[in-house]
Amino acid sequence: MNHFQGKAWAASRLAAVFLTILLLLSGCAAHGGFKTATAGNTPVTRAGQRHSFPPIVAIDIGGPASAAQSDLKVGFIFNGRVGDFGFTYAQNQGALALIRELGVDVLTREMVPPDEQSMDIMQELIDEGCTVIFSCSFGFMEFTYAMAERNPGVRFFHCSGYMTSDNMSAYFGRMYQMRYLTGIVAGLRTETNLIGYVAAHPIPEVRRGINAFALGVKSVNPDAAVNVIWTNSWLNTGLERDLALELVRIGCDVIAQHQDSLLPQIVAEEEGIWGIGYNSPMGFFSPNAYLTGAVWNWGPYMVGEVRKIIDGTWEASNYWGGLETGIVMLEELTENVAPGTQEAVDEAMRRIISGFDVFTGPIYDNMGGIRVPEGQIMPDSEKLSITWFVDNVTEVGAP
């Protein structure tokens, strides 16, 4: 099938796509309903070969659970469903690793709103015996902090925020490193030099990832532009689809994303263009479009921290691990990437491991100002508070 003949193919696949969306919205795929991609069952790619995706979590969570080593109960609150194959799915792999590796009891709550109701749900988990709570979305931060103050005997972990206390840690990974690598993949693959990016909220976390992605694009293709369109939502499958289609309409032939679902990747598959995923392996649903993905590997961090609690050695921290820790990973490249991509990515990865910071100057913003002088490195404090875009980023629909 020719690269731009995806619409004819999409018509024949429409029923399967609708089924996928229904599974996402209903949560029916939670806890094992999703068939793991293997060399034997993964759909054939454009290159005519099957692609086997690596596991999300480095810790083996297959097979029978280990015997309980602790009577500890660990609670998780999620803003989505564990069957979304996105951010919540990846976080839940960490919860499963806790069960497998430490034998603790895990209680989960899905579709928790990022407001005061989250405090009631955390209290429910505490009342049910949880002495460790993971709140797995940025919007839970202030409410988690308040609950930590009210419950000094409970340990709290908040994902992607910055607030900490004696009994509350913040945790995240330097996903911008993986964004840079996926930008290289996109920059080498595009033919229109228009790359789309379906983005959630215009907060520093999302802007940081977009900028790193755009810098990766620029490193191999200075003529390409990254077109960002905002959903102002972590998870809105209908809007994600509509805005991804808008990016296709303006000529983007690669779609990347910072969204909790895989709808932008399904759009790429339907429209016969290329896709770059996020959070967890998404290529099973878009084998003809998928290039790679920036994925989370939460299990080792969660297991390590809970093990410290069991051992009595835990202290609160603000964790921001990079490529060297394994918390952020680049998914195996598919056969759909452009020739020479693997070599370019391998070289960039070697540089990052050797200490290269992707935010090394000169870096200009998209208003023409110098933000990071040549040879200097953007400090972490600015990475964590960034409010601007680099010079090859355009916001679609911005005045």
Side-chain angles (χ1 to χ4, degrees), residues 75-380:
F76 282 77
I77 62 169
F78 301 123
N79 70 328
R81 295 195 184 279
V82 298
D84 67 3
F85 311 124
F87 187 76
T88 299
Y89 175 83
Q91 288 273 343
N92 190 56
Q93 300 307 300
L96 296 176
L98 289 177
I99 297 170
R100 171 64 186 171
E101 297 299 313
L102 301 180
V104 301
D105 288 334
V106 170
L107 285 69
T108 62
R109 298 290 189 272
E110 301 175 59
M111 300 300 292
V112 178
D115 56 28
E116 291 185 356
Q117 294 179 64
S118 66
M119 298 173 67
D120 295 335
I121 295 171
M122 282 186 269
Q123 189 61 54
E124 287 179 7
L125 291 169
I126 293 169
D127 292 343
E128 292 181 35
C130 292
T131 55
V132 179
I133 301 289
F134 283 84
S135 61
C136 302
S137 179
F138 180 83
F140 298 139
M141 180 175 65
E142 291 88 350
F143 308 109
T144 306
Y145 186 82
M147 289 299 292
E149 286 190 321
R150 294 182 189 179
N151 298 274
V154 177
R155 275 78 164 197
F156 292 82
F157 295 84
H158 175 254
C159 182
S160 76
Y162 52 84
M163 299 178 74
T164 61
S165 66
D166 288 344
N167 64 322
M168 175 181 168
S169 286
Y171 68 97
F172 208 52
R174 295 180 185 267
M175 182 55 78
Y176 65 85
Q177 296 174 334
M178 301 301 100
R179 295 293 195 186
Y180 182 87
L181 297 176
T182 59
I184 291 173
V185 176
L188 291 172
R189 182 72 276 181
T190 181
E191 297 173 3
T192 65
N193 283 337
L194 294 174
I195 298 168
Y197 201 113
V198 183
H201 295 278
I203 62 173
E205 174 198 339
V206 181
R207 290 179 181 271
R208 181 172 63 245
I210 293 168
N211 280 338
F213 178 81
L215 290 170
V217 170
K218 189 176 184 180
S219 72
V220 295
N221 186 349
D223 296 325
V226 177
N227 296 268
V228 175
I229 197 162
W230 299 104
T231 65
N232 293 301
S233 170
W234 296 115
L235 180 63
N236 185 328
T237 53
L239 186 58
E240 290 168 35
R241 169 182 286 279
D242 291 344
L243 297 187
L245 286 169
E246 174 63 16
L247 292 171
V248 175
R249 187 192 66 79
I250 66 174
C252 295
D253 63 350
V254 181
I255 298 290
Q257 66 177 82
H258 191 135
Q259 296 290 164
D260 285 1
S261 90
L262 44 70
L263 262 294
Q265 301 309 304
I266 291 177
V267 168
E269 182 81 352
E270 291 175 344
E271 296 297 313
I273 63 170
W274 309 108
I276 290 177
Y278 175 51
N279 289 313
S280 65
M282 294 179 169
F284 188 78
F285 295 92
S286 51
N288 294 287
Y290 203 64
L291 302 173
T292 188
V295 300
W296 289 106
N297 181 28
W298 301 109
Y301 170 78
M302 291 178 177
V303 169
E305 291 299 294
V306 174
R307 182 176 281 124
K308 291 176 187 176
I309 292 172
I310 294 171
D311 294 343
T313 60
W314 182 82
E315 293 183 359
S317 63
N318 192 336
Y319 178 85
W320 202 23
L323 171 62
E324 74 285 353
T325 70
I327 196 170
V328 293
M329 298 171 63
L330 181 71
E331 194 178 348
E332 180 184 346
L333 305 186
T334 73
E335 298 88 353
N336 298 328
V337 300
T341 300
Q342 187 70 65
E343 292 79 4
V345 167
D346 289 346
E347 175 58 26
M349 189 173 291
R350 281 192 291 269
R351 293 178 65 204
I352 291 171
I353 292 172
S354 298
F356 169 69
D357 193 300
V358 306
F359 287 105
T360 298
I363 298 175
Y364 293 84
D365 65 28
N366 60 1
M367 301 300 290
I370 181 73
R371 290 289 186 160
V372 183
E374 184 171 2
Q376 294 188 23
I377 297 173
M378 183 188 296
D380 280 354

